[in-house]
Amino acid sequence: MSEAADQFECDRNLAQAVDLSRMQTALSLPLFVLAVLGLGTGLSFAWLRLDRWSAIALISATAVVLFALAVDVFLSLRRREFGLDIIAALAMGAALWFGEYVAAGVVAVMFAGGQSLETYAQKRADSGMSELLSRVPRLAVIVTDAGFTDVVIDDILVGDRLLIRNGDVVPVDGHIDAGQAVLNEAALTGESLPVRRKTGQMIMSGASNIGDAFEMIAARSAAASTYAGIVRLIAQARRSKAPMSRLADRYALAFLAVTVAIAILAAFLSGEPARAVAVLVVATPCPLILAVPVALVAGVSKASRNGILIKGAGVLEFLASITVVVFDKTGTLTTGQPTIRHIDTDAVPNELLRLAASLDQASSHTIARAVVAEAKRRKLVLSMPATVTEAPGEGIEGDVAHRRVAIGTRDFIAARCGTMQQPAHAIGTAMAYVAIDGHYAGTFVFQDPIRTDALAVVEKLRRLGIKRISLATGDRDVVGKAVGQALGLDLVRAELAPAQKVEAVKDELKHGHVMMIGDGVNDAPALAAASVGVAVGRGNLAAAAEAADVVLLRDNLQLVATSIEIARWSRRIALESVYAGIGLSVAAMIAAGCGYVSPIQGALLQEIIDVAVIFNALRAG
C-alpha cells in the first residue's frame, strides 16, 4: 500500500472514531433517561400488580440500552479494545434471558448513568475550549482599487495585497510591499523581543504586528503557509500519540474471568441456572462503571475551580502518571516581556533613563514600554516630550526638557551622532542606544527575565517525584542555557523549530510519560505529541490550547504542580473505590453462587455497594 493510501486509511479510521465518539456522546443522556423511566415505570406497574405491563416496560428500556451497548462492544472489539462494557452486556442479557427483568433494569440504569457521567466531563471541557478558540481571528483585509475588503483567510490568493494593521496576526506567508514591519514572532520562534522586517523581506503567518500598519503581498495561500504547516504537525503528532485508556478497563479482563468462573461453577454445582444470573447481576461492574467516572469527574471539576481546564477523565488519568516534564521558555518559564537588565553609560544612569523614558511615553513599541516601566519602578519624574518623530522599527526622537533625545537601534543613533563605541559587555536579548543633543549617551541592555514562580514550580515538581525536567526552546542557545542553569534543569535544547520540538518530546518519551508545557503556536505540535500537553494562559493561548490536553486558564505556573496533585488524588480515590467495589462484589458473588442471594436481591445488594463506593469517589472533588 502506498504512503498516500496509508494516510487516507488513517484519516478515514480517525474520522470514523470521531463520528462514533460524537454518536456515543449524543446518546448517553437519552439512554440514561430511558433506563430510569423504564425502571420506574416497571416498578410502578409491578406495585399495581400489572405484571405484564411491568415486564414490557422493563424489557423495552433494557433492550434499547443493551442494543446500544452491543453495538459499542462490537465496534470496540473490531478496534481490539476490551472494556467493562462486555460484563454489563452479559449481565443484562442473562437477566433478560432468565426473566429477571427488574435486575436487568437496574443494571441498565447503572451502566447508562456511568456513560452519562463521562459524557458530562467531556462536555465540560469542550465548552471551555469553545470559549477559548472563539477568540482566534478568521478574517484579513485585502487592498483593492476600490478600497479595503474583509475576506475569510482561506480565500486569500497568491498575489493579493493585504493590509496588516497594528495588532493583526499575519494571515499568510508573504513579503512586505510598503512600509516597515515590527513583528512579534514569539508564537512561532519563541523569541520574546520584536523583530524588524523591511520592504521586500519575507514574513511568516502567525506573527503579530506590534508596529504601524503595513502592506504585504501574499506569497502562499493560507493552507500552504507556515501556520498551516504547524497545524499539520499537530495532526500528525495526534495520530502518532498513544491512546488514553480508561482506568476501569484495565481491570475488566480479570474481573470478567472471575465472574464467569463463579457463575459457571455455581450453576454447575447447584444445577440451578438462576444462581448464574444472580452471580452476573451482583457482579455487574457498577463500582467500576460508576465510581471511577465519579472520582475522575470530581477531579476534573476540582481542577476547573482552580483555573485548570482538563479535557476529560482520560487526560486526568494520564496526568497522574507523569514522570518527565518539558518546558518551553518564552512566556512559560520567562515573562515574555523585556526588562532593562543594565544601563551602560558614563552619565548618571537614572537621568539617562528619565530622559529616554520621557520620550518613550510617545511610543507603543515593546522596548519603549519596558523603558517607561523601569523608570516608573524607580519612581522617576517624567517630562512631556515635544516635536516627536518616530521611524517604525528603528527609533524615536524628540525634545525633552530642552534636550534633544533619541533612542533606537545602533544605525538610528549612529546617523544622529556619528561614530559610537560598542559596549563591552553586550550579551542580552536586545539593546537600545540613546543619544542626547547629538552625542552618544549610553545603552540599555534588555533581558527576558525568568518568572518569579518558575524556580518554586521546578522545586515542587521535584518533590512530587518528577525524575526529569528539561527545556525545549526556539530561542538562542546562550539564552536557553542561562535559564536552564538558573533553574537547575536536567537538559536544555535550544534553537528548535516546531518539528524539532516534537522530536525532543518523542526523545523524552523514552524516560516515561511526558508533560509538555508551552504557550505559543510553535509549541502546539509538541503539546499534541506529549503524553499530556499543557497550555499556559497567555496572549497566544488559543492555538496552543487547541493542541493541549490541559489548559491553565490563569497565568500561574503553580497550577502545573496543582494539576498533577489533583490528578493523583483523584486517581487514588478512584482506585480505592475500585478495590473496595471489587472486593465487595466478589464477596457478594460467592454468596449468590451459594444460593444465599437471589437475582433481585443481588441487584439491591449491588445498589448498596454502588452507593458506598460512589460516596467514597465523591471525596475526589
Side-chain angles (χ1 to χ4, degrees):
M1 186 180 291
S2 67
E3 182 178 350
D6 285 337
Q7 183 64 50
F8 174 78
E9 183 67 19
C10 177
D11 290 343
R12 189 183 70 169
N13 291 339
L14 182 62
Q16 289 175 346
V18 170
D19 290 341
L20 175 62
S21 175
R22 288 175 178 170
M23 179 185 72
Q24 292 170 335
T25 297
L27 290 177
S28 60
L29 183 59
L31 284 176
F32 176 62
V33 172
L34 176 65
V36 170
L37 288 175
L39 180 60
T41 304
L43 292 175
S44 298
F45 282 139
W47 183 72
L48 295 172
R49 300 186 182 279
L50 300 174
D51 295 338
R52 181 184 177 187
W53 289 104
S54 174
I56 291 174
L58 291 168
I59 291 172
S60 300
T62 305
V64 174
V65 175
L66 180 57
F67 175 77
L69 176 57
V71 172
D72 187 27
V73 168
F74 173 73
L75 295 175
S76 297
L77 291 176
R78 281 189 61 186
R79 300 193 301 271
R80 299 181 181 180
E81 297 175 0
F82 185 90
L84 287 165
D85 300 346
I86 294 177
I87 307 176
L90 284 175
M92 278 186 271
L96 289 176
W97 179 265
F98 289 102
E100 300 291 345
Y101 304 135
V102 174
V106 171
V107 175
V109 168
M110 293 300 100
F111 171 77
Q115 296 294 97
S116 296
L117 282 171
E118 290 188 301
T119 299
Y120 167 76
Q122 187 61 50
K123 282 186 175 180
R124 187 184 183 98
D126 289 344
S127 63
M129 281 304 301
S130 299
E131 181 181 350
L132 287 170
L133 297 180
S134 65
R135 305 171 189 171
V136 179
R138 306 290 182 186
L139 300 176
V141 179
I142 288 185
V143 182
T144 65
D145 294 337
F148 302 114
T149 304
D150 288 340
V151 298
V152 177
I153 289 177
D154 290 338
D155 292 340
I156 296 174
L157 302 176
V158 175
D160 281 347
R161 182 186 299 274
L162 307 175
L163 175 67
I164 311 299
R165 299 161 299 191
N166 179 273
D168 284 353
V169 175
V170 178
V172 297
D173 295 349
H175 63 267
I176 299 174
D177 185 62
Q180 295 188 32
V182 182
L183 302 174
N184 180 355
E185 296 181 351
L188 298 171
T189 66
E191 173 57 62
S192 61
L193 292 172
V195 296
R196 297 186 308 277
R197 302 292 184 221
K198 299 180 180 180
T199 301
Q201 286 188 307
M202 286 292 296
I203 55 176
M204 298 182 292
S205 60
S208 300
N209 179 22
I210 59 175
D212 291 343
F214 63 90
E215 294 182 4
M216 63 171 288
I217 303 296
R220 299 185 182 94
S221 65
S225 291
T226 301
Y227 187 91
I230 292 176
V231 171
R232 284 192 292 273
L233 279 175
I234 295 172
Q236 293 168 7
R238 280 176 171 165
R239 283 196 292 267
S240 64
K241 186 174 182 174
M244 294 180 179
S245 61
R246 294 188 300 175
L247 183 149
D249 288 345
R250 300 168 201 167
Y251 300 89
L253 186 58
F255 192 79
L256 176 62
V258 171
T259 300
V260 172
I262 294 176
I264 292 175
L265 189 62
F268 176 76
L269 294 178
S270 67
E272 299 177 15
R275 290 196 183 185
V277 178
V279 170
L280 288 174
V281 170
V282 81
T284 300
C286 293
L288 302 183
I289 293 174
L290 285 175
V292 172
V294 167
L296 297 180
V297 168
V300 170
S301 297
K302 182 177 181 179
S304 178
R305 292 195 301 271
N306 283 272
I308 305 166
L309 177 65
I310 298 178
K311 300 181 186 178
V315 175
L316 190 76
E317 291 181 36
F318 235 124
L319 191 59
S321 64
I322 292 298
T323 56
V324 180
V325 171
V326 179
F327 281 102
D328 170 51
K329 182 189 74 70
T330 304
T332 305
L333 288 177
T334 64
T335 64
Q337 299 295 328
T339 60
I340 293 178
R341 188 185 73 183
H342 178 73
I343 300 177
D344 184 89
T345 181
D346 293 330
V348 178
N350 275 4
E351 178 59 16
L352 182 67
L353 176 61
R354 188 188 71 81
L355 292 172
S358 296
L359 176 62
D360 271 338
Q361 292 177 105
S363 175
S364 61
H365 195 281
T366 303
I367 292 294
R369 292 198 297 267
V371 172
V372 174
E374 178 64 18
K376 290 182 177 179
R377 189 186 69 81
R378 299 189 186 192
K379 298 181 180 179
L380 302 180
V381 178
L382 304 185
S383 305
M384 288 298 297
T387 62
V388 176
T389 58
E390 183 172 9
E394 296 291 334
I396 187 171
E397 184 176 13
D399 295 326
V400 177
H402 307 293
R403 310 288 298 274
R404 190 64 178 171
V405 180
I407 178 171
T409 65
R410 180 180 176 83
D411 291 342
F412 182 81
I413 298 302
R416 284 151 180 78
C417 61
T419 58
M420 50 184 289
Q421 184 178 358
Q422 176 77 27
H425 53 279
I427 299 181
T429 54
M431 289 183 288
Y433 302 88
V434 183
I436 306 293
D437 295 330
H439 300 285
Y440 167 71
T443 300
F444 296 145
V445 181
F446 295 86
Q447 65 177 359
D448 183 7
I450 296 174
R451 295 170 58 126
T452 55
D453 54 355
L455 182 58
V457 169
V458 171
E459 292 174 347
K460 181 67 175 293
L461 291 174
R462 300 282 191 196
R463 291 195 297 272
L464 288 173
I466 303 301
K467 64 184 182 181
R468 186 174 171 87
I469 304 176
S470 64
L471 177 67
T473 177
D475 211 339
R476 293 173 297 147
D477 185 63
V478 63
V479 177
K481 286 182 177 178
V483 172
Q485 183 177 6
L487 297 177
L489 304 184
D490 299 307
L491 179 66
V492 173
R493 296 181 178 92
E495 302 180 14
L496 301 180
Q500 292 172 314
K501 282 192 175 185
V502 172
E503 294 304 315
V505 167
K506 289 181 178 179
D507 186 60
E508 290 297 313
L509 285 168
K510 301 173 185 176
H511 303 284
H513 289 161
V514 175
M515 171 192 280
M516 170 69 194
I517 306 165
D519 78 320
V521 177
N522 64 321
D523 303 317
L527 295 177
S531 306
V532 175
V534 179
V536 180
R538 295 186 66 84
N540 298 319
L541 180 61
E546 186 174 8
D549 304 298
V550 178
V551 181
L552 307 185
L553 300 178
R554 296 199 298 267
D555 187 14
N556 181 358
L557 268 189
Q558 294 285 356
L559 296 180
V560 172
T562 301
S563 67
I564 295 177
E565 290 177 317
I566 291 175
R568 290 181 179 179
W569 169 250
S570 301
R571 188 176 185 273
R572 176 184 169 185
I573 297 299
L575 287 174
E576 284 181 0
S577 301
V578 166
Y579 297 148
I582 287 178
L584 292 171
S585 293
V586 169
M589 280 190 284
I590 294 173
C594 293
Y596 298 117
V597 178
S598 68
I600 293 181
Q601 290 172 334
L604 296 176
L605 181 58
Q606 187 63 59
E607 285 295 295
I608 295 173
I609 296 174
D610 293 342
V611 171
V613 296
I614 287 172
F615 271 109
N616 182 69
L618 287 171
R619 294 192 300 122

